[in-house]
Amino acid sequence: MTWAIETSGLTRHFGTVHAVDGLDLRVEAGKFYGFLGPNGAGKSTTIKMLTGLLAPTSGAMRLLGIDLADAGQARAVKQRIGVVPENLALFDNLTAREYLTFIGRMYLLPPDTVRARCQELLTMMDLAGEETKLTLEYSHGMKKKLALAAALLPDPDLLFLDEPFEGVDAVASRMLRDTLKSFVKRGATVFLTSHVLDIVEKLCTDVGIIAQGRLVQQVSMAEIRAAGSLEECFLKAVGNGQVEAQKLSWLED
């Protein structure tokens, strides 16, 4: 079995807070993997460590079979991954085409390849008519689509997506889902965090659930469907199945 992501004892502390606590994660290559958890569970911190944006306190990481502790190898593997981070980190004073061209240069792609892919991505993301605008003028949904276009531009083997559907309209959401399905179909791996369980249930082949920095469950969607729903599985994993609605005093009968 080939692993796209492997972690062993991955840990990140912020002072006395254990944001990620001894995470042992295995994601098979070619899977659409949903990484779920409540707010503050450690999802974004995990992605930041896996993509080199944050150094771990301890533990080991391998992406696409490469040990990230080796600085030279880690640089090489970054050319094979794409990322849509929690904070989009776009350059406000560039147009969409200028931004994508910059990203292509960072990946050392041939200029002709960058130009061709930029045009296809801008058209697919419905941004071709907005090329004269600076990204600071974009809506949140438009910025999200541009960030995804940048992540897809290098044709990565591994794609990290941190809440990619947040703030995206229904039409764009459908287009993104279809694009990501095609991406996985050709053999790439997607690592997705999302609070929208319906999207995860439709897209993902496997799911990992993290709570308080620890992996509490890792299971295939086929197993989840055989036993019930993803929502039931998630609530049982993070809250022992006991979820009670809190009532506001002025709304009580």
Side-chain angles (χ1 to χ4, degrees), residues 153-226:
L153 180 67
D155 191 22
D157 296 314
L158 174 58
L159 186 60
F160 291 95
L161 305 175
D162 198 347
E163 296 290 349
F165 295 96
E166 180 187 17
V168 176
D169 63 60
V171 175
S173 177
R174 176 61 180 269
M175 178 274 296
L176 296 181
R177 294 200 306 269
D178 290 345
T179 300
L180 294 173
K181 285 179 181 178
S182 298
F183 189 72
V184 172
K185 189 175 181 179
R186 71 163 183 75
T189 306
V190 173
F191 188 85
L192 165 75
T193 72
S194 178
H195 290 296
V196 186
L197 297 185
D198 182 57
I199 288 177
V200 174
E201 198 159 15
K202 288 178 179 177
L203 288 177
C204 293
T205 55
D206 297 83
V207 167
I209 300 175
I210 186 174
Q212 298 180 334
R214 297 182 178 181
L215 190 69
V216 295
Q217 190 164 11
Q218 189 165 233
V219 63
S220 71
M221 276 304 308
E223 293 175 274
I224 291 174
R225 292 188 184 101

Side-chain angles (χ1 to χ4, degrees), residues 76-169:
V77 81
K78 287 178 182 179
Q79 290 185 290
R80 300 172 60 193
I81 68 174
V83 186
V84 176
E86 178 184 25
N87 299 315
L88 299 178
L90 304 175
F91 294 134
D92 287 344
N93 291 315
L94 295 180
T95 66
R97 185 177 293 276
E98 288 170 341
Y99 178 69
L100 292 178
T101 300
F102 169 77
I103 295 298
R105 289 175 177 173
M106 292 301 99
Y107 278 94
L108 304 179
L109 296 175
D112 289 346
T113 299
V114 173
R115 280 192 293 270
R117 290 182 183 178
C118 279
Q119 188 57 51
E120 287 189 52
L121 287 165
L122 289 172
T123 300
M124 185 183 72
M125 299 294 178
D126 197 26
L127 294 174
E130 307 291 340
E131 286 192 62
T132 60
K133 290 184 179 179
L134 301 179
T135 58
L136 63 85
E137 301 177 75
Y138 280 10
S139 67
H140 179 74
M142 291 167 68
K143 289 180 178 179
K144 186 75 76 169
K145 288 192 285 186
L146 179 57
L148 182 59
L152 293 173
L153 180 67
D155 191 22
D157 296 314
L158 174 58
L159 186 60
F160 291 95
L161 305 175
D162 198 347
E163 296 290 349
F165 295 96
E166 180 187 17
V168 176
D169 63 60

Side-chain angles (χ1 to χ4, degrees), residues 30 44 49 58 68 70 82 100 111 136 140 160 203 223 232 249:
S44 293
M49 288 190 288
S58 60
L68 297 187
D70 184 325
L100 292 178
L136 63 85
H140 179 74
F160 291 95
L203 288 177
E223 293 175 274
E232 292 169 343
S249 60

